[in-house]
Amino acid sequence: MKKFILIAAALFVGTLAQAQIVANGGYIHAFENSRYYYGDGYAPSYKGSLDGFYVGANYYYSLDRYVNGLAVLPGANISALFGRHALSNSYRVSELALNIPIQASYTYRINENFHVFGQTGPSFQFAFTHNVRDDKGTSYPLLRKDNRYGEARSLFNLFWGFTAGVEVSELLRIEVGYDLGFLNQSRTDGFKVSRNFLHFGIGYLF
């Protein structure tokens, strides 16, 4: 048993030696495409958008011992989005969600102080709130299917993301990315809402 504990501790220390924490945050823009289904096909779609920010951290685990420049970045961040409802323009929308990205990364070292990198992988989103507030100040929690607004949203979404950026002096990371959403965000019968994300961010490696 003692040998097992010592081996496990050695593996854990070795893992930490290959890892860094990346604190990050930035701007996020959500593109939404909504369509009604009438039985004989979808009606013309309408487009909406939300803007906001995200803040969180990634665990940068280097795989240089296998492939130089390769790494995996599991992480978590909180995103907040705000805007106007696409159908009711005088109604305001606010959303708060937890995002869990797990991306594979490859970094190419141009010189000691300047690297470029690309990342790709899935991201899981869990919504905490998605509220609509009308022009009279009444708020409707759309994550509840029985809300009085008449539209309900899903608590969960799955994305596949693509990110590219630069790393300066092995401390600062500047990145831009696009995430493609796969799941219908509406729980209202005959209604489909798809969502994609565009984001710009800055990260600091500890």
Side-chain angles (χ1 to χ4, degrees):
M1 184 64 179
K2 289 182 178 180
K3 289 183 178 180
F4 175 79
I5 294 174
L6 290 173
I7 292 172
L11 290 173
F12 179 71
V13 171
T15 298
L16 291 179
Q18 299 294 322
Q20 288 180 282
I21 299 296
V22 185
N24 52 38
Y27 164 79
I28 185 169
H29 179 84
F31 300 91
E32 288 195 349
N33 186 45
S34 303
R35 294 185 295 174
Y36 285 105
Y37 185 77
Y38 287 105
D40 57 350
Y42 281 104
S45 63
Y46 66 89
K47 300 183 184 300
S49 63
L50 299 171
D51 295 281
F53 63 90
Y54 69 94
V55 61
N58 291 87
Y59 194 67
Y60 185 99
Y61 180 63
S62 173
L63 298 176
D64 281 346
R65 56 185 172 179
Y66 303 113
V67 177
N68 191 36
L70 189 65
V72 291
L73 284 88
N77 65 71
I78 298 293
S79 62
L81 292 169
F82 309 93
R84 295 184 180 275
H85 196 279
L87 285 180
S88 305
N89 194 253
S90 62
Y91 288 22
R92 295 188 176 274
V93 178
S94 62
E95 177 186 288
L96 187 67
L98 169 67
N99 307 281
I100 303 176
I102 305 173
Q103 294 196 328
S105 172
Y106 180 77
T107 300
Y108 179 76
R109 292 169 171 80
I110 295 177
N111 56 49
E112 288 188 4
N113 296 316
F114 191 80
H115 309 157
V116 295
F117 63 86
Q119 298 172 191
T120 188
S123 180
F124 307 91
Q125 183 178 72
F126 303 90
F128 296 136
T129 63
H130 188 100
N131 298 329
V132 168
R133 183 180 296 274
D134 65 20
D135 50 3
K136 297 180 180 179
T138 303
S139 184
Y140 305 90
L142 299 196
L143 296 183
R144 292 175 53 184
K145 196 168 185 179
D146 59 350
N147 74 82
R148 291 181 293 125
Y149 186 71
E151 177 188 349
R153 288 296 186 103
S154 173
L155 283 75
F156 176 74
N157 203 354
L158 172 64
F159 296 87
W160 191 275
F162 302 90
T163 303
V166 297
E167 183 179 301
V168 181
S169 300
E170 297 186 342
L171 288 176
L172 185 67
R173 290 165 62 91
I174 303 169
E175 61 185 41
V176 57
Y178 197 82
D179 296 345
L180 300 169
F182 291 109
L183 303 183
N184 183 7
Q185 288 298 278
S186 176
R187 291 192 292 163
T188 304
D189 293 339
F191 198 51
K192 183 177 181 180
V193 178
S194 58
R195 171 184 279 188
N196 299 324
F197 285 144
L198 174 67
H199 50 90
F200 303 90
I202 296 176
Y204 186 84
L205 287 87
F206 289 92

